[in-house]
Amino acid sequence: EIVMTQSPATLSVSPGERATLSCRASQSVSSNLAWYQQKPGQAPSLLIYGASTRATGIPARFSGSGSGTEFTLTISSLQSEDFAVYYCQQYNNWPLTFGQGAKVEIK
Amino acid sequence: EVQLVESGGGLVQPGGSLRLSCAASGFSFNNYGMTWVRQAPGKGLEWVSSIGTAGISTHYTDSVRGRFTISRDNSKNTLYLQMNSLRAEDTAVYYCAKKGMTVPSYNWFDPWGQGTLVTVSS
């Protein structure tokens, strides 16, 4: 099983600032990585797939990068609606696995 | 608009069974693989099971293999998860989700349903 490790667990950021979240895979997943956002009481929603392709309707302030074992989700200028928990997910191998989540909170 | 609506959750005793359903609309259900993902209270996301378009190809996480069965009825646009021998650690919100693309190996999910809560307790 591929273990996905996200860091930091919690990121405190002021609105308008940049946020950078990391996701590390225990073995290469190529570019087969997705990012999801989950707000309290809501289902997760897709942000990024293929490590760097924004899903339909996702603002350009969200960007993904990386390949192999190291990946990054960057939110260039945090808006109030971006404070949430973010998960990475690898789909290179079965079983599919998620990171433990990273919470972006208001500083 | 794509919609996924889960149902069938509830309170069940350890060792009991439940069948979850996910009614899909707004897309060609028979063209997309589907998946179940769960989230224990206050915890992260855990992939549970996925199924291919024809219902022949299935995958399970180790902790549910042999106890849970994923299936689909393309004539009813519905995904199912039969859960047997339930344990306390199966307590979670169960989400169904649609694969983002029809390509078999592209196993990211979009969108997700609102979830249904399964509580296993005596």
Side-chain angles (χ1 to χ4, degrees):
Chain A
E1 170 176 320
I2 297 176
V3 177
M4 307 301 292
T5 303
Q6 292 184 239
S7 61
T10 303
L11 187 63
S12 298
V13 185
S14 299
E17 290 188 338
R18 182 186 191 93
T20 301
L21 303 178
S22 296
C23 176
R24 174 175 292 179
S26 60
Q27 65 188 74
S28 177
V29 299
S30 186
S31 295
N32 296 315
L33 185 106
W35 289 95
Y36 301 88
Q37 178 192 67
Q38 187 178 32
K39 298 178 182 179
Q42 297 185 17
S45 60
L46 178 71
L47 292 173
I48 301 281
Y49 61 91
S52 61
T53 302
R54 279 189 301 277
T56 302
I58 300 303
R61 64 180 181 271
F62 290 92
S63 63
S65 63
S67 66
T69 62
E70 300 284 344
F71 300 88
T72 300
L73 174 69
T74 301
I75 312 171
S76 60
S77 177
L78 271 158
Q79 306 298 302
S80 57
E81 61 266 31
D82 301 336
F83 292 96
V85 179
Y86 294 84
Y87 294 92
C88 60
Q89 176 230 327
Q90 69 81 18
Y91 51 92
N92 195 65
N93 289 71
W94 301 100
L96 308 180
T97 47
F98 290 89
Q100 80 278 19
K103 182 179 182 180
V104 176
E105 64 177 25
I106 300 175
K107 187 174 182 180
Chain B
E1 179 193 5
V2 174
Q3 278 203 314
L4 300 170
V5 180
E6 301 95 335
S7 60
L11 175 64
V12 61
Q13 291 188 338
S17 298
L18 275 180
R19 188 176 83 157
L20 305 183
S21 299
C22 172
S25 61
F27 66 101
S28 297
F29 181 73
N30 60 324
N31 285 342
Y32 287 87
M34 298 291 293
T35 201
W36 290 98
V37 174
R38 67 185 178 184
Q39 186 169 35
K43 302 298 184 182
L45 302 174
E46 180 186 23
W47 171 76
V48 174
S49 180
S50 294
I51 189 167
T53 55
I56 297 171
S57 173
T58 59
H59 299 270
Y60 298 92
T61 192
D62 283 349
S63 63
V64 309
R65 186 175 291 111
R67 300 188 298 123
F68 290 11
T69 302
I70 191 171
S71 62
R72 62 191 295 162
D73 186 336
N74 288 343
S75 68
K76 295 182 178 180
N77 289 350
T78 302
L79 174 72
Y80 301 102
L81 186 67
Q82 177 67 44
M83 304 187 296
N84 299 331
S85 303
L86 282 160
R87 306 166 180 167
E89 55 264 36
D90 296 318
T91 294
V93 173
Y94 285 73
Y95 296 101
C96 71
K98 164 187 162 290
K99 279 186 59 172
M101 294 181 72
T102 58
V103 177
S105 60
Y106 288 179
N107 287 298
W108 70 83
F109 304 105
D110 179 46
W112 299 48
Q114 85 289 348
T116 187
L117 176 62
V118 172
T119 303
V120 184
S121 175
S122 55

